[in-house]
Amino acid sequence: MVRFRYYFIAVAVLLIAILLPHLPIFSIVLKTLDLNIYDNILEVYNAFSYNEYEGVYDNICIIDIDEKSIKDLGQFSSWPSLFFADLVNILAEDKPLAIAFDIFFTESDSIKGYARKRLSSELTDITINPDKVMDKISTDDIFANAMEKAGMVYLAMFNSDYPSYTQDLPDKLISWNVQPKHYLELKYPVPPIPQFTRTARGIGFANINPDITGKIHDYPLFLKHKRDMYVNFSMQLYLDLFGIDKIRLDRSCYFFSGNKKVSELPLSPDGLFYFKYYGPAKSFRYVSFSDVLFRKIPPGYFKDRIILIGTSAYGLKDNKITPLDRSFPGVELHSTFLRNLLEEDYIYWVNPWLLLIINFIALGIMAFIIPRSKPSISIGVFLLVTILFFPFIYLLYVKASYIFSYSTILIPWVIGFLALFFTQAHEQGKEKRMVRNAFEHYVSPEVIQQIMKEPEKLRAGGEKKYISIMYVDVRNFTYLCEKLPPSEITSFMNSYFNLATQVIIENRGTLDKYIGDAILALFGAPITYTDFERNAVKSALAIRKIASDIKKEHYSHPLLKDFHIGIGIATGEVIIGNIGSDRIFNFTGIGDKMNFGSRLEGLNKYYQTTIIIDNFTFNAVKDVFFCRKLDIVTVKGKSDVCDIYEVINTMDDMKNNPELSEIYHKYEYALALMIAKNQSEAKTLFEEVLLLLPNDEPTKIMLSRFDVINWETWDGTWQFDGK
């Protein structure tokens, strides 16, 4: 069920990713993100591919009202219609395909109003009527006649935010029976003056506005006024050139001439047509307006070309911001649109359903991998795929001109990873807390910290480790259970176990298990550290003190006043780890040393001692703890000979009792003489020890052996056949 949680999260992220673009604030943020990524793709591609010396596109020519033309012909606002009439006449001589003005002819060049009245007062000295003179000055009719004669001139109109400019729409403005997803809403359309609309071949709007990024990415195919849909003048030019009489909208925009499909414009999921830019400004053939007017261009130059007239002069404020240029002539936007259509060179969009499938698969794979991987691997894969995403989308554009809403992949990918990763982190934290809570009952906080760093060790399996094993057993426990009520013995043992376990944990030991009344503890596992043997002996002395305090506390109790324990410590190499089944296992050790520790604990019954350690433990702690060599033995099931030692106290405490230290040294010297078969001297020394320590059971045992040892065959080892 835990693993299914990741798939539920993946599905939730997918639903969030689907809903986010439809929320007002998020839609703006995501759209901005998409466009900025797209702009970077264009900039990189342009940096690698654009070469201004490769030439320009010649099928479309731009007549540019540039700085040179303004210098040659004077201030643009004072240009008479005659200039444009002459331009049309000159161009028409070469028989171009079409002539389109990206200029707004919304005012007559005639003298009207206050100017006419004021000028009339200055012409009182002439015999001709001043009004007739001023009427002749207007050249609007000449321009209108030139357009009518050429029969191929298209004019632009614009949309105003102010109602004072509004006029009736011209009859030649064609509306189209379409219902697009996206269109520009027109408030107050401003057409050319009626003289021009009557003689122009076609009329359309020239509105191309920046989007939320402040740049121009798309060409508005449709503009709505009241209930009717209209098109841009450059699009109307294309429709007329190819005889388009029907437009159908679906995922694309289809143009039909009769029943024949002429072209198909790919649209974004929002219904937008994106420009396919060819570089920064001036990627088309530009010819200065004045050069044409002064006939500096050879005859036939404009034949079979589409001619657009506009301006690149900065002062005329028709420069736009595009992804590749911050001063892009507006007329070149129309040229770019026409070139896209003429060459069928489009920006294509990846099917949104395909993106949904990709998201579904990506999130599914993520939900499968993350809970099964280390965080470092998850982060590495996430970063690698994220980094590779950008070269991929770049190549997708370069090789196939495909783009898509990049946020529809990035957002669920990032949100999905974060959600799944933090879910994994939360669960791992929860597991660690569970492990910590569980291990707090077994090991010290330092050991827990180490385990948290290497949680993979908490699984079935083992490894060889050099550790100390400590067994602690209660003497006559069966007898206590028989004589005491269950509630009393349970309460007592819980109290004793609590104190003893706390000592083990404080000394960095690991509680292996409780075996009835016995405690099995490990030192140096699961985390290896130095001087673990000393910690084991230190714990043994502390537990011995606990047992002594219990006896004092229960001095009046008939049974517990004789409470006594035995402790055995063995040190060596064992197999340590989580041993058991795949579902249930126990952290423990197996090997000869585990058994030997139990045998040492059992020897306390024979020697009437409390703590016995082996020679490996002794060699590690002899500088810190005072121990006397107790015997040389072999235990049941083992043929190896081992020196065993009784832990008496710490070296520091024994310094305060030098007489006792001397007695124990005398015992060790007597034992050495005994092993060397120097019977007389050894016995004498043991007897001296017994006089000084009348209750020392090991000395009594040694004296009793003198009568039973076969001195001819004895090798100095005492063999135990029982546990």
Side-chain angles (χ1 to χ4, degrees):
M1 188 63 187
V2 174
R3 291 287 169 83
F4 280 112
R5 183 183 308 161
Y6 287 86
Y7 294 103
F8 293 148
I9 292 172
V11 172
V13 169
L14 189 61
L15 292 176
I16 291 172
I18 294 173
L19 293 175
L20 275 181
H22 300 285
L23 301 177
I25 296 178
F26 288 102
S27 64
I28 295 173
V29 173
L30 298 180
K31 183 70 173 178
T32 303
L33 174 63
D34 289 333
L35 292 175
N36 285 330
I37 294 175
Y38 175 57
D39 290 348
N40 287 321
I41 292 174
L42 292 184
E43 288 178 6
V44 173
Y45 176 67
N46 182 70
F48 283 109
S49 63
Y50 178 71
N51 188 339
E52 61 180 330
Y53 301 106
E54 289 181 355
V56 293
Y57 184 70
D58 279 331
N59 291 340
I60 297 174
C61 184
I62 296 174
I63 306 300
D64 187 15
I65 301 173
D66 53 7
E67 305 290 350
K68 176 179 180 298
S69 298
I70 294 173
K71 182 179 180 181
D72 291 341
L73 300 173
Q75 185 177 355
F76 177 73
S77 60
S78 66
W79 284 13
S81 298
L82 181 64
F83 287 0
F84 301 104
D86 289 348
L87 179 73
V88 169
N89 289 329
I90 294 170
L91 294 174
E93 292 174 3
D94 284 354
K95 294 183 172 52
L97 295 177
I99 301 171
F101 282 90
D102 185 20
I103 301 170
F104 302 127
F105 297 103
T106 57
E107 297 176 355
S108 171
D109 69 351
S110 63
I111 302 173
K112 295 181 178 180
Y114 174 78
R116 175 178 283 262
K117 184 177 180 181
R118 179 70 181 81
L119 189 57
S120 295
S121 65
E122 297 291 334
L123 299 177
T124 55
D125 56 340
I126 63 173
T127 58
I128 304 174
N129 186 338
D131 288 330
K132 290 184 178 181
V133 173
M134 286 184 280
D135 287 341
K136 288 293 183 181
I137 293 175
S138 173
T139 59
D140 291 339
D141 289 338
I142 299 174
F143 184 28
N145 292 333
M147 287 192 287
E148 184 175 25
K149 182 180 178 182
M152 62 181 74
V153 178
Y154 290 80
L155 299 180
M157 56 187 294
F158 70 95
N159 177 57
S160 173
D161 292 328
Y162 305 99
S164 58
Y165 288 98
T166 303
Q167 302 176 32
D168 293 335
L169 294 180
D171 295 336
K172 287 187 178 179
L173 188 63
I174 301 173
S175 64
W176 295 87
N177 183 24
V178 289
Q179 296 296 325
K181 285 185 180 180
H182 179 82
Y183 54 83
L184 294 182
E185 189 76 44
L186 300 173
K187 292 184 178 180
Y188 307 111
V190 182
I193 61 176
Q195 285 172 276
F196 299 158
T197 58
R198 286 194 295 268
T199 58
R201 171 69 177 84
I203 300 172
F205 292 89
N207 294 80
I208 303 178
N209 300 328
D211 51 37
I212 55 176
T213 65
K215 301 176 183 178
I216 293 176
H217 295 90
D218 63 277
Y219 178 94
L221 297 176
F222 301 99
L223 305 97
K224 185 177 182 181
H225 179 60
K226 296 181 179 179
R227 295 183 178 181
D228 295 320
M229 290 289 177
Y230 301 98
V231 299
N232 258 303
F233 84 101
S234 49
M235 180 171 169
Q236 186 62 56
L237 185 156
Y238 174 83
L239 298 178
D240 288 347
L241 283 177
F242 288 88
I244 307 299
D245 54 18
K246 180 182 177 183
I247 300 175
R248 182 168 62 85
L249 294 172
D250 193 359
R251 292 181 180 176
S252 299
C253 179
Y254 301 92
F255 293 152
F256 292 88
S257 178
N259 294 323
K260 180 182 178 182
K261 186 177 77 171
V262 176
S263 57
E264 175 185 346
L265 278 63
L267 303 179
S268 73
D270 297 332
L272 298 172
F273 176 82
Y274 272 53
F275 284 107
K276 177 71 176 292
Y277 284 106
Y278 299 100
K282 303 296 180 71
S283 58
F284 292 84
R285 179 70 63 189
Y286 275 72
V287 177
S288 177
F289 187 101
S290 60
D291 285 346
V292 178
L293 210 60
F294 298 158
R295 293 189 177 272
K296 293 182 179 180
I297 307 301
Y301 182 82
F302 301 105
K303 182 176 176 56
D304 296 331
R305 289 179 173 172
I306 295 174
I307 311 300
L308 280 85
I309 298 96
T311 178
S312 67
Y314 183 77
L316 298 184
K317 298 182 179 180
D318 192 34
N319 290 330
K320 313 294 183 180
I321 299 176
T322 70
L324 298 178
D325 199 319
R326 299 190 63 84
S327 184
F328 198 91
V331 66
E332 190 164 341
L333 291 172
H334 294 283
S335 302
T336 301
F337 171 74
L338 288 170
R339 179 177 177 180
N340 290 165
L341 270 61
L342 293 173
E343 294 190 339
E344 296 187 349
D345 189 14
Y346 304 126
I347 297 293
Y348 296 94
W349 290 81
V350 177
N351 192 314
W353 286 103
L354 178 59
L355 299 180
L356 183 63
I357 293 172
I358 292 173
N359 280 333
F360 182 81
I361 294 173
L363 289 170
I365 293 174
M366 199 184 297
F368 177 82
I369 291 177
I370 286 180
R372 294 169 172 81
S373 304
K374 293 181 179 180
S376 58
I377 294 177
S378 299
I379 293 174
V381 172
F382 169 76
L383 292 176
L384 177 63
V385 174
T386 304
I387 292 171
L388 291 177
F389 173 77
F390 294 97
F392 169 76
I393 61 176
Y394 174 76
L395 291 175
L396 191 65
Y397 173 80
V398 171
K399 299 299 182 181
S401 296
Y402 268 97
I403 64 173
F404 55 91
S405 176
Y406 305 113
S407 61
T408 59
I409 294 292
L410 279 176
I411 297 303
W413 174 253
V414 174
I415 294 178
F417 173 78
L418 293 177
L420 294 170
F421 182 79
F422 283 115
T423 298
Q424 180 195 39
H426 173 73
E427 290 186 350
Q428 288 182 346
K430 185 178 179 181
E431 290 176 359
K432 286 184 177 181
R433 287 191 295 273
M434 291 175 62
V435 171
R436 179 182 291 275
N437 292 336
F439 267 77
E440 280 179 350
H441 299 286
Y442 298 90
V443 296
S444 68
E446 290 179 333
V447 174
I448 292 175
Q449 290 178 3
Q450 291 295 323
I451 292 173
M452 293 300 100
K453 294 179 181 178
E454 301 178 279
E456 67 276 1
K457 291 187 176 180
L458 292 178
R459 59 170 61 95
E463 59 180 325
K464 284 187 176 181
K465 272 185 174 292
Y466 189 81
I467 66 170
S468 290
I469 304 101
M470 181 176 74
Y471 281 85
V472 184
D473 191 29
V474 176
R475 295 289 175 259
N476 301 317
F477 181 70
T478 302
Y479 179 72
L480 292 175
C481 290
E482 292 174 351
K483 298 298 181 180
L484 294 175
S487 59
E488 184 179 356
I489 191 65
T490 302
S491 175
F492 171 76
M493 289 303 296
N494 284 341
S495 176
Y496 158 68
F497 279 149
N498 183 57
L499 294 172
T501 303
Q502 188 62 35
V503 165
I504 292 169
I505 291 174
E506 287 176 355
N507 288 287
R508 303 182 69 182
T510 300
L511 179 65
D512 185 313
K513 62 176 70 71
Y514 300 114
I515 311 171
D517 61 310
I519 299 173
L520 172 58
L522 311 175
F523 292 82
I527 305 301
T528 301
Y529 58 90
T530 59
D531 296 333
F532 57 84
E533 301 95 338
R534 296 183 182 182
N535 285 26
V537 175
K538 184 179 179 182
S539 298
L541 288 174
I543 294 173
R544 186 179 72 177
K545 177 68 167 53
I546 290 171
S548 176
D549 292 342
I550 289 174
K551 289 173 65 176
K552 293 177 182 178
E553 183 180 347
H554 297 82
Y555 69 94
S556 61
H557 195 284
L559 298 176
L560 297 180
K561 66 180 181 179
D562 294 324
F563 182 76
H564 190 65
I565 61 171
I567 302 173
I569 300 175
T571 299
E573 194 174 68
V574 297
I575 297 174
I576 197 78
N578 294 309
I579 298 170
S581 67
D582 290 337
R583 294 177 60 85
I584 300 176
F585 51 76
N586 180 45
F587 185 81
T588 187
I590 55 176
D592 289 342
K593 282 293 178 179
M594 297 291 293
N595 297 327
F596 189 56
S598 177
R599 298 291 186 272
L600 292 177
E601 184 279 318
L603 292 180
N604 284 295
K605 299 176 184 178
Y606 174 76
Y607 293 101
Q608 295 296 298
T609 53
T610 302
I611 306 171
I612 295 178
I613 63 177
D614 66 355
N615 57 318
F616 295 102
T617 308
F618 170 75
N619 290 330
V621 304
K622 60 185 179 182
D623 295 332
V624 179
F625 300 99
F626 185 89
C627 308
R628 70 163 162 175
K629 184 173 181 180
L630 201 58
D631 204 351
I632 302 176
V633 302
T634 60
V635 298
K636 184 178 180 180
K638 293 283 290 181
S639 59
D640 295 340
V641 177
C642 180
D643 295 350
I644 61 173
Y645 297 82
E646 179 189 9
V647 179
I648 306 299
N649 213 330
T650 65
M651 283 291 191
D652 291 339
D653 287 341
M654 290 302 289
K655 288 178 182 179
N656 299 324
N657 197 347
E659 295 84 2
L660 185 60
S661 299
E662 185 60 32
I663 293 171
Y664 286 128
H665 285 313
K666 184 175 287 190
Y667 173 91
E668 290 180 321
Y669 185 51
L671 179 62
L673 291 173
M674 184 179 179
I675 294 170
K677 300 182 180 181
N678 191 340
Q679 301 178 45
S680 174
E681 191 173 349
K683 188 173 184 180
T684 301
L685 285 177
F686 277 127
E687 289 172 345
E688 291 177 6
V689 171
L690 193 59
L691 287 173
L692 297 171
L693 294 175
N695 296 321
D696 188 51
E697 191 64 27
T699 303
K700 294 178 183 180
I701 291 172
M702 294 303 164
L703 287 172
S704 67
R705 288 181 183 177
F706 280 89
D707 296 330
V708 298
I709 292 176
N710 184 345
W711 294 95
E712 293 182 0
T713 60
W714 185 56
D715 61 357
T717 303
W718 195 259
Q719 183 174 349
F720 288 90
D721 296 325
K723 292 185 178 179

